[in-house]
Amino acid sequence: MKKIYLVRHGQSHSNAGGEAMINADIPLTELGQHQAEQVAYWLYETLGDNIDSIMVSKFLRTHQTAQPLVDKLGITPTVVEGLQEFDYLSFAKIDGTTLDERRQMAEDYWITHSPDEMHGGDGETYHNFCERVGQVLTYFRQLPAGNHVAFTHGLWISMLIWQILGQTKDNSRTMQKFVQFELPIRAKNCEVFCLTLLDDSDVMNGIDGMNLPPMITKVRSLNPIE
């Protein structure tokens, strides 16, 4: 059995309403740094030294969130391609905009764009986002048995849950259904979900564990003021 503890990064400059930045370069706020220290403490209290690997996305805010746990355990984190957030808004279009303007662009995106359509020339398509989340799930399945911690993002975790529930189509209708589904369940900063994956050694009677569905549960919840 393998358990992947999925941690949403701490509060970022963007979460706090700061000016638009290139998604990959958005840093944590001071509060986000504090949240990172708190979740590292929680993970260590929960798992102790029984953590086999630490993974991060290629976005800065996950590296910064992972750092307190990395310092505590001395484990070099692995950057996992595909673990980064859905980068659907074009930076060329949001550069210099206000938070309210960006929120309106985000709302418009989900209504007006198709799965294979970019928001400007430097946005990511919804289709690509769906594909890479599925690819990372395959990567997780290939990890050795044990406990693994992956620092990732809110929309990413929501898409993983969406796919675990069998919602794999990526047409315009399901795009809109996804955004309605994901907003109420989106992980708060430094909340943690545990993804449990069984393998052949966990099952009896000749059942192929690799084909059993994953299980995911929120294991660290925070109230809105945290």
Side-chain angles (χ1 to χ4, degrees), residues 5 11 13 15 18 22 27 40 44 52 56 73 93 119 146 165-167 175 187 196-197 201 206-207 217 220:
Y5 290 81
Q11 186 193 63
H13 177 84
N15 297 150
I22 294 172
Y44 192 75
D52 297 284
V56 293
L73 296 176
K93 289 192 172 186
H119 180 259
L165 292 173
Q167 303 295 328
M175 274 183 67
T196 302
L197 299 170
S201 63
I207 300 172
T217 306
R220 184 176 193 250

Side-chain angles (χ1 to χ4, degrees), residues 159-175:
M159 174 54 71
L160 179 66
I161 296 170
W162 182 248
Q163 293 189 8
I164 288 172
L165 292 173
Q167 303 295 328
T168 56
K169 296 180 180 178
D170 58 2
N171 56 44
S172 295
R173 182 182 177 190
T174 54
M175 274 183 67

Side-chain angles (χ1 to χ4, degrees), residues 140-152:
F140 286 161
R141 286 190 179 278
Q142 296 167 353
L143 292 170
N147 296 317
H148 308 270
V149 180
F151 291 86
T152 183

Side-chain angles (χ1 to χ4, degrees), residues 7-182:
V7 185
R8 186 187 176 191
H9 60 80
Q11 186 193 63
S12 70
H13 177 84
S14 177
N15 297 150
E19 72 271 14
M21 297 179 66
I22 294 172
N23 209 338
D25 298 336
I26 297 171
L28 296 184
T29 62
E30 184 176 347
L31 173 59
Q33 295 282 3
H34 174 70
Q35 291 170 332
E37 293 168 2
Q38 291 293 100
V39 77
Y41 175 82
W42 182 89
L43 287 162
Y44 192 75
E45 285 292 297
T46 302
L47 300 172
D49 293 323
N50 191 25
I51 296 175
D52 297 284
S53 72
I54 298 173
M55 296 167 278
V56 293
S57 82
K58 60 185 181 181
F59 285 5
L60 172 63
R61 53 197 183 273
T62 63
H63 293 243
Q64 293 178 325
T65 307
Q67 195 60 52
L69 185 65
V70 168
D71 291 342
K72 187 178 290 288
L73 296 176
I75 297 174
T76 301
T78 299
V79 179
V80 177
E81 177 60 39
L83 197 56
Q84 70 272 17
E85 186 59 295
F86 184 23
D87 196 10
Y88 61 96
L89 290 183
S90 162
F91 178 69
K93 289 192 172 186
I94 67 171
D95 190 20
T97 61
T98 66
L99 178 61
D100 286 341
E101 288 171 335
R102 295 195 295 277
R103 284 175 174 165
Q104 187 60 56
M105 286 183 186
E107 289 179 15
D108 292 345
Y109 168 83
W110 292 102
I111 296 170
T112 62
H113 284 63
S114 69
D116 291 309
E117 185 180 0
M118 287 184 180
H119 180 259
D122 56 341
E124 181 183 18
T125 68
Y126 179 79
H127 176 80
N128 185 70
F129 176 50
C130 293
E131 281 199 333
R132 62 179 174 81
V133 171
Q135 289 165 358
V136 174
L137 178 56
T138 298
Y139 172 84
F140 286 161
R141 286 190 179 278
Q142 296 167 353
L143 292 170
N147 296 317
H148 308 270
V149 180
F151 291 86
T152 183
H153 305 263
L155 273 171
W156 197 99
I157 295 172
S158 295
M159 174 54 71
L160 179 66
I161 296 170
W162 182 248
Q163 293 189 8
I164 288 172
L165 292 173
Q167 303 295 328
T168 56
K169 296 180 180 178
D170 58 2
N171 56 44
S172 295
R173 182 182 177 190
T174 54
M175 274 183 67
Q176 294 172 23
K177 287 174 65 178
F178 168 70
V179 76
Q180 293 167 358
F181 161 83
E182 82 82 24

